[in-house]
Amino acid sequence: TLSIIIGTIMTMSSSNWLMAWIGLELNMLAVLPIISKPKTTRASEATTKYFLTQAIASAMMLLSSTINAWQTGSWDISELKNKFSTTIMALSLMMKMGAAPIHFWLPEVLQGTTLQTALLITTWQKIAPITLMYMISNNIQPTILVSAGILSMIIGGLGGINQTQLRKTMAYSSINNLGWTITIMAFSPNMALMNISTYILMTTPIFLMMTTTSTKTLQNLSTTWTTSLTMTLSIALLMLSTSGLPPFTGFMPKTLILNELISQNLTILATLAIMTSLISLLFYLRIAYLIMMLTPPTTTPSSTKWRAQNQKSQPMTMMTPTALFITHLIPAIPY
């Protein structure tokens, strides 16, 4: 845990490509034992997949920074001027965070790990690559970011529709949200940071509630009311918030992103983003509908799972209201 924290902070605070790379490597090597902690073949498989993709991304990152240093004579992060280097760097960072078109590892890795590790991979592990992308966003060609962003939105929406496993659903939800972040990164990097922060704020309580209620599939979700009715309804509302429905918190970054795109005369791009948002709304609504329709007094054919005694979670209690009801802060945000 200490290495994961140190690695991310090292990457975020460095101005040199080599130090940023060392931070990411430290972070990646520290996560591997956490993913492989459950002694199952699925966990071992997930660890191998995670290691291979992250190692390839790290190699691409090193290649990009070396070529840039060779051309410009500088290892400084802000001096990434070579077009070939910026393209390779953007692709390696997308691979590290699990955005399309190099997203295949994310659903598989999440499915092979515990819920706590899935939370770690979908939230904390994205901070370092997003920070580096933020630092070089002025040098990356907007076409690359927009193409990858729109592709991530489409794949994140379509991939989540047919899932019954909640961890895979959350992985596709993550890919979809990364699409929004990467698209706006080309035009307003600060808004991209706000979007990913809001996503982390909404995803964390969902995973914490799923951990508390031992919920891993849609079928489990239909019997969560036996553990805690409040928590069950909160999961449904948080899912709707993540989809970007008003009046929940998730609506806030999407409104601001669409506003920014339209003000930049990118109406077609904004329309595409809204259409892909509707696709992803389908599977969020499916989960919310399942929860709402199968809570008492409705009877359910599913058998109730045996669960351990509830642990009270203070972070979950504090984050849930914030992840649902801070939309009214939109006027206070500087555009």
Side-chain angles (χ1 to χ4, degrees), residues 142-266:
T143 323
I144 295 168
L145 289 177
V146 169
S147 308
I150 291 292
L151 193 62
S152 294
M153 287 184 205
I154 294 168
I155 287 171
L158 292 175
I161 289 173
N162 206 24
Q163 299 298 335
T164 55
Q165 295 287 338
L166 285 175
R167 278 169 294 182
K168 279 195 174 180
T169 307
M170 293 308 292
Y172 283 109
S173 160
S174 169
I175 294 165
N176 181 31
N177 268 280
L178 276 175
W180 284 84
T181 307
I182 292 169
T183 303
I184 199 62
M185 187 73 82
F187 311 105
S188 174
N190 290 342
M191 211 167 276
L193 283 193
M194 188 198 71
N195 184 57
I196 199 73
S197 306
T198 314
Y199 168 71
I200 289 171
L201 179 72
M202 292 183 297
T203 304
T204 309
I206 293 178
F207 271 111
L208 290 174
M209 286 180 192
M210 279 160 58
T211 308
T212 310
T213 55
S214 311
T215 304
K216 290 175 184 174
T217 62
L218 287 178
Q219 191 179 5
N220 293 162
L221 205 57
S222 64
T223 58
T224 34
W225 56 266
T226 54
T227 311
S228 167
L229 187 56
T230 316
M231 210 177 282
T232 310
L233 295 174
S234 297
I235 292 176
L237 293 175
L238 283 164
M239 287 288 182
L240 294 178
S241 180
T242 316
S243 71
L245 270 187
F248 302 115
T249 302
F251 177 62
M252 177 178 67
K254 289 191 176 177
T255 316
L256 296 176
I257 288 171
L258 291 172
N259 183 60
E260 180 66 29
L261 289 174
I262 291 165
S263 66
Q264 301 258 12
N265 287 329
L266 297 161

Side-chain angles (χ1 to χ4, degrees), residues 87-153:
T87 308
I88 296 285
M89 185 61 75
L91 283 171
S92 75
L93 292 175
M94 284 174 203
M95 192 171 183
K96 274 212 169 286
M97 62 179 98
I102 326 168
H103 64 282
F104 300 100
W105 62 272
L106 188 61
E108 295 298 321
V109 169
L110 287 203
Q111 188 55 34
T113 58
T114 60
L115 287 164
Q116 291 97 323
T117 315
L119 169 62
L120 177 76
I121 294 169
T122 48
T123 55
W124 182 264
Q125 291 300 91
K126 290 194 179 1
I127 296 173
I130 288 275
T131 310
L132 287 176
M133 192 175 267
Y134 175 83
M135 290 163 86
I136 62 167
S137 57
N138 292 334
N139 300 326
I140 306 174
Q141 292 162 295
T143 323
I144 295 168
L145 289 177
V146 169
S147 308
I150 291 292
L151 193 62
S152 294
M153 287 184 205

Side-chain angles (χ1 to χ4, degrees), residues 1-9 23 26-31 124:
T1 306
L2 192 63
S3 298
I4 288 170
I5 295 166
I6 289 171
T8 302
I9 292 172
L26 179 66
N27 179 293
M28 184 258 283
L29 290 171
V31 168
W124 182 264

Side-chain angles (χ1 to χ4, degrees), residues 33-53:
I34 292 180
I35 300 175
S36 62
K37 193 167 175 258
K39 299 293 179 281
T40 59
T41 48
R42 289 301 296 266
S44 308
E45 187 188 330
T47 312
T48 312
K49 283 177 179 171
Y50 187 81
F51 171 72
L52 288 173
T53 46

